[in-house]
Amino acid sequence: MPLVSMRQLLDEAAKGGYGVGAFNVNDMEQIQAIMEAAKETQSPVIIQASRGARQFAQDRYLFHLILAASELYPEIPIAMHQDHGNSFETCKSAIELGFTSVMMDGSLKADGKTPSTFEENVEVTRKVVDFAHERGITVEGEIGVLGGVEDGHGAGGSGLDHITDPDQAVEFAERTGVDALAIAIGTSHGAYKFTKKPDGSVLKMDVLIAIHKRLPNTHLVMHGSSSVPKDLQDIVNQYGGKLKETWGVPVEEIQLGIRNGVRKINVDTDNRLAITGAIRKVLWESPEKFDPRDYMKPAREAMQKVVAQRMTQFGQAGHAGDYKPVSIEQIAKGYKDGSLTTRPLVAAK
Ligand code: G3H
Ligand code: 13P
Ligand code: ZN
C-alpha cells in the first residue's frame, strides 16, 4: 500500500480506541525491525525520523528505505513522519521529500533548545498547517515543553519545568488546526526520565485527563514514552555498559493515556537500549567476531521484540487490515471541503 496519511491512521485509531506507536529510525535495520514486528502483529505503523536521523542517514536513503518497506509489506499501512521539526523550512523539506506527516515542534525556538512564547508557537505551527494541509499532509504540534536533550534537541531540565496548561492547549488547538497535539506531562526524552517508579507527583496523568476532557476529539501524543525496562538496562550493563539506574513511563500509564485520547506514542530509547544490549552481548561473548551481520542480526531481532510488544500493549495489533487506502490527494480535498475537520470540539470547563 502507498504511504498513508497519519491523520487517517489516528482517526482509525480513535474509532478503534487504540494507540499507535511511533518508532524512530536512523537506518535500514531499524526499519526492518519495525516492519517485521508490524507483520507479526498485523499493526498499522508510524515510522518517524528526527532531524538528526535525516542528517545521519541522508534524506534520500531514508525515504527510499521507507518506500521499500511499503513495497515489501503492502498489507501494512505506514505513515512516514518528521519528528520534532524545528522550523517551517524543516517541515517543508520533509513534505517535499515525501513524508506524509510532520511535527512542527514550536514549543522550542528554531535552535531546538530555547522555549518559545505561546504566540511564536501558534504562528509557526499555523504556517506549517496551512502549507501541509493544502498538500494532504498531517501536522502534529506541541504545547508545553518536554524535559531532557536528545542529540542536541530539547530544552534540558526536568520534565516538570513546562507542563502543558489545559486552557492553552485548547487555545492552541483552536488557533492552529493541528491534527494531533503533543503535550508535556512530566516526561523527558532519553533514558533518564524518573529516579524511581513515577507517581502522580512527577508523571501528570491528571493533566492529560484534564486536557482530554476539554478536547475530547483531539488526538493526543505522548513523547518521551519509552518504558526503559529494567531487563534492557541490565543486558546493557551486564556486557560492559554503564547505565545509571533509571525509570521510564510504565506501560499501564500509557494505557491509561490511550483510554483518555492518546493516539500516538513516541518510542525511541527502548529500541536503542535493545539494539545496544544485543550488540554488546555478541561482542562481549565473542570478541573474535567482526562481521557486522553477527551483531546486527541479533540487534534487529531484539528491537523487533520490543516493537511487537509495544504494538500489542498499545492495542494497534490486529488493526492493519482495517484501512481502505485513501490517497494523499483525497486527504487534501477533505481538508479543503471541510470533511476532515480541523476545528477541535471544545467541551466546557
Ligand atoms: O526526539 C527524540 C528522539 O528520540 C530522536 O532523537 O534527535 O537523537 O534522533 P534524535
Ligand atoms: P523516548 O526517548 O522516551 O523513547 O522518546 C522518544 C520521543 O519522544 C521521540 O520524539
Ligand atoms: Zn519527542
Side-chain angles (χ1 to χ4, degrees):
M1 164 182 333
L3 296 175
V4 303
S5 144
M6 190 170 85
R7 169 68 185 262
Q8 186 192 358
L9 226 134
L10 300 183
D11 284 353
E12 276 292 337
K15 267 192 252 160
Y18 57 91
V20 183
F23 303 102
N24 288 77
V25 297
N26 299 271
D27 59 27
M28 180 181 75
E29 287 80 1
Q30 289 179 308
I31 295 170
Q32 291 172 326
I34 295 169
M35 294 315 299
E36 279 299 299
K39 182 180 168 187
E40 183 190 327
T41 60
Q42 283 301 299
S43 297
V45 286
I46 300 167
I47 298 184
Q48 61 186 10
S50 66
R51 274 189 301 144
R54 286 177 60 189
Q55 257 168 22
F56 172 80
Q58 292 266 8
D59 278 354
R60 304 301 300 167
Y61 279 120
L62 209 49
F63 178 65
H64 283 280
L65 285 169
I66 296 173
L67 272 193
S70 75
E71 285 171 24
L72 289 167
Y73 300 82
E75 77 285 15
I76 304 291
I78 308 172
M80 181 174 169
H81 177 75
Q82 165 78 58
D83 191 23
H84 292 286
N86 64 320
S87 63
F88 175 77
E89 287 69 30
T90 298
C91 293
K92 180 170 179 275
S93 71
I95 292 167
E96 286 168 350
L97 183 64
F99 282 57
T100 59
S101 178
V102 293
M103 175 187 193
M104 178 60 235
D105 181 358
S107 71
L108 299 173
K109 291 182 189 278
D111 66 5
K113 292 179 176 50
T114 317
S116 61
T117 66
F118 180 72
E119 288 303 324
E120 284 168 339
N121 191 357
V122 168
E123 192 187 323
V124 68
T125 306
R126 179 77 238 176
K127 190 173 168 193
V128 171
V129 168
D130 289 342
F131 184 84
H133 283 184
E134 211 183 307
R135 291 159 179 78
I137 304 302
T138 311
V139 181
E140 172 185 340
E142 176 166 323
I143 180 77
V145 183
L146 259 76
V149 180
E150 283 284 278
D151 204 14
H153 181 98
S158 146
L160 292 172
D161 290 349
H162 303 276
I163 296 288
T164 305
D165 169 53
D167 289 333
Q168 274 203 343
V170 170
E171 190 183 339
F172 185 80
E174 285 183 312
R175 287 176 61 190
T176 59
V178 288
D179 301 282
L181 184 63
I183 55 173
I185 55 167
T187 67
S188 306
H189 289 120
Y192 301 105
K193 302 181 194 301
F194 304 109
T195 52
K196 58 183 170 58
K197 187 169 180 202
D199 58 20
S201 67
V202 287
L203 180 58
K204 304 279 184 192
M205 296 307 292
D206 55 335
V207 173
L208 185 148
I209 291 167
I211 295 169
H212 175 57
K213 283 214 173 101
R214 300 288 313 283
L215 293 169
N217 289 352
T218 297
H219 303 315
L220 300 180
V221 183
M222 277 176 75
H223 280 248
S225 288
S226 278
S227 300
V228 198
K230 181 148 179 0
D231 58 333
L232 293 182
Q233 295 179 44
D234 287 348
I235 295 174
V236 171
N237 286 340
Q238 188 182 343
Y239 299 104
K242 280 201 166 62
L243 294 171
K244 289 176 283 174
E245 196 175 38
T246 179
W247 274 262
V249 183
V251 168
E252 60 272 20
E253 301 291 355
I254 297 172
Q255 290 168 334
L256 171 65
I258 293 169
R259 293 196 293 279
N260 286 280
V262 171
R263 299 291 160 236
K264 174 172 181 276
I265 305 107
N266 283 21
V267 174
D268 187 358
T269 296
D270 284 352
N271 293 324
R272 292 177 171 186
L273 290 172
I275 288 169
T276 299
I279 292 174
R280 279 191 172 282
K281 182 170 190 292
V282 171
L283 296 180
W284 182 275
E285 287 177 343
S286 313
E288 74 287 358
K289 290 203 163 149
F290 60 88
D291 180 342
R293 289 171 297 192
D294 287 339
Y295 51 84
M296 289 311 295
K297 191 163 176 286
R300 192 170 59 186
E301 285 164 1
M303 172 162 164
Q304 179 184 336
K305 200 168 146 207
V306 172
V307 173
Q309 196 181 26
R310 295 289 174 272
M311 287 170 161
T312 306
Q313 291 162 331
F314 299 162
Q316 73 207 82
H319 286 286
D322 301 352
Y323 291 75
K324 275 203 303 288
V326 178
S327 72
I328 295 297
E329 291 71 28
Q330 283 170 279
I331 297 279
K333 276 202 198 99
Y335 285 126
K336 202 165 176 204
D337 66 24
S339 53
L340 273 179
T341 176
T342 53
R343 290 288 305 167
L345 176 68
V346 179
K349 271 202 232 183

